[in-house]
Amino acid sequence: QSTWGRLYFFSMAAAAAAARAGAAALRPVSIFYDCVSPYSWLAFEVLCRYRALWGLDLRFVPIFLGGVMKATGNRPPAMVPLKGKHMVKDLARLSAHFELPLRQPSDFASVMMSTLGAQRLLAAVDHELGQNALEAVSRALWLRTWSRDETVATPEGLDAALAAAGAAGVSALRDASTRERLRVAAESAEVKALLKANTDEAIAAGAFGAPTILVTINGKQELFFGSDR
C-alpha cells in the first residue's frame, strides 16, 4: 500500500472512531497551518493519527503563514542560518520518529514563496467540500512539497494534488470539472476573504507562526505552538 494510502486510511479510521465515540464527548481542537510549513505537517498527522485515542474534535484551518509573520514581526526559521541548519537535522529526526516520509525540497526558497495559491485552494475546498476533503487535499499538498519535491505553484501541480486526494477516497475530486471549479474558486474574492479571515482568526488568538493549535479546556482556549506539544 502506498504512503498516501496508509496515511489516508489511518486518518479516516481515526475520524470514524472519533465519530462513533460521540461528538459531545470530544475536545474541540483547531489547527492553523500552511503547507509551506513541515512542522505543520507533523502536527497535522499526529493529531489525525491520535484523534480517537485523545478524544479530539479536530478543525482544520488553512492560513497564510506569510500574513501571520508580517503581522507579528516573526521570521521563518530558514531565514536564520543556525535555525535553518538545525531544522534540517530536526526534521530528519522527527520524520523517522513519526514514520512520515518528509524530505527536504531541492529549492526551499522557491517553496517559501509559492504556497499562497495552495492555501487559497484549501480554503476553497473547505468552503465547497468540507473538512474531510480539506484533510485529504492538505495531505496531498504536503506530500508534493515535502516528500516528492514537486511543485504546488502551478495549476497542474494543484490539479495533481486534488486528483491524488480523489484517488485516495474523496470521490468528488475524481471529476476533472470539479477540480477545475475549485481552482477557479480559489482565485475569487470570496475565497481570498475566507483565507484572510482564517489568518486574522489565528492572529487574534495569539498566533505568531505555524502550526498554531487551539485547545478548549474546561471552556477556556489554550494556545500551543509547534508540533511537539
Side-chain angles (χ1 to χ4, degrees):
Q1 190 179 27
S2 69
T3 297
W4 216 121
R6 289 196 302 274
L7 289 171
Y8 188 81
F9 172 80
F10 286 120
S11 66
M12 289 298 101
R20 288 194 298 271
L26 302 180
R27 185 185 302 280
V29 174
S30 297
I31 175 171
F32 297 84
Y33 63 92
D34 188 316
C35 64
V36 73
S37 164
Y39 289 101
S40 289
W41 189 19
L42 286 159
F44 175 94
E45 293 296 356
V46 169
L47 290 172
C48 288
R49 189 177 297 179
Y50 297 110
R51 67 180 131 195
L53 181 64
W54 294 344
L56 307 181
D57 179 16
L58 271 180
R59 173 184 171 229
F60 305 107
V61 190
I63 61 171
F64 178 45
L65 182 55
V68 173
M69 293 284 188
K70 182 177 180 181
T72 60
N74 199 358
R75 298 175 66 193
M79 299 296 289
V80 181
L82 287 178
K83 282 187 178 181
K85 184 177 180 180
H86 170 75
M87 186 177 77
V88 173
K89 294 181 180 178
D90 191 43
L91 289 174
R93 289 193 296 249
L94 290 169
S95 174
H97 179 74
F98 289 111
E99 298 182 346
L100 197 65
L102 197 158
R103 301 175 184 86
Q104 291 289 327
S106 58
D107 186 357
F108 181 64
S110 177
V111 171
M112 287 178 60
M113 303 300 292
S114 67
T115 62
L116 178 55
Q119 294 306 108
R120 287 172 175 165
L121 180 66
L122 290 179
V125 169
D126 188 25
H127 180 61
E128 296 206 14
L129 299 181
Q131 289 271 295
N132 286 343
L134 175 60
E135 177 182 341
V137 177
S138 299
R139 181 174 291 113
L141 290 169
W142 271 308
L143 282 165
R144 286 188 66 81
T145 302
W146 283 99
S147 186
R148 298 196 297 268
D149 197 16
E150 297 170 342
T151 186
V152 296
T154 65
E156 294 79 12
L158 294 175
D159 185 68
L162 292 171
V170 184
S171 58
L173 295 177
R174 296 170 189 162
D175 179 61
S177 64
T178 299
R179 300 197 302 269
E180 173 65 19
R181 187 182 76 248
L182 287 167
R183 294 199 310 274
V184 171
E187 297 304 315
S188 69
E190 179 183 16
V191 167
K192 290 178 181 179
L194 288 173
L195 182 62
K196 185 178 186 303
N198 287 352
T199 305
D200 289 345
E201 180 186 350
I203 294 167
F208 52 86
T212 290
I213 301 165
L214 289 182
V215 183
T216 301
I217 302 173
N218 297 325
K220 180 182 177 182
Q221 281 195 334
E222 299 284 353
L223 184 148
F224 296 86
F225 172 73
S227 63
D228 56 353
R229 299 298 187 267

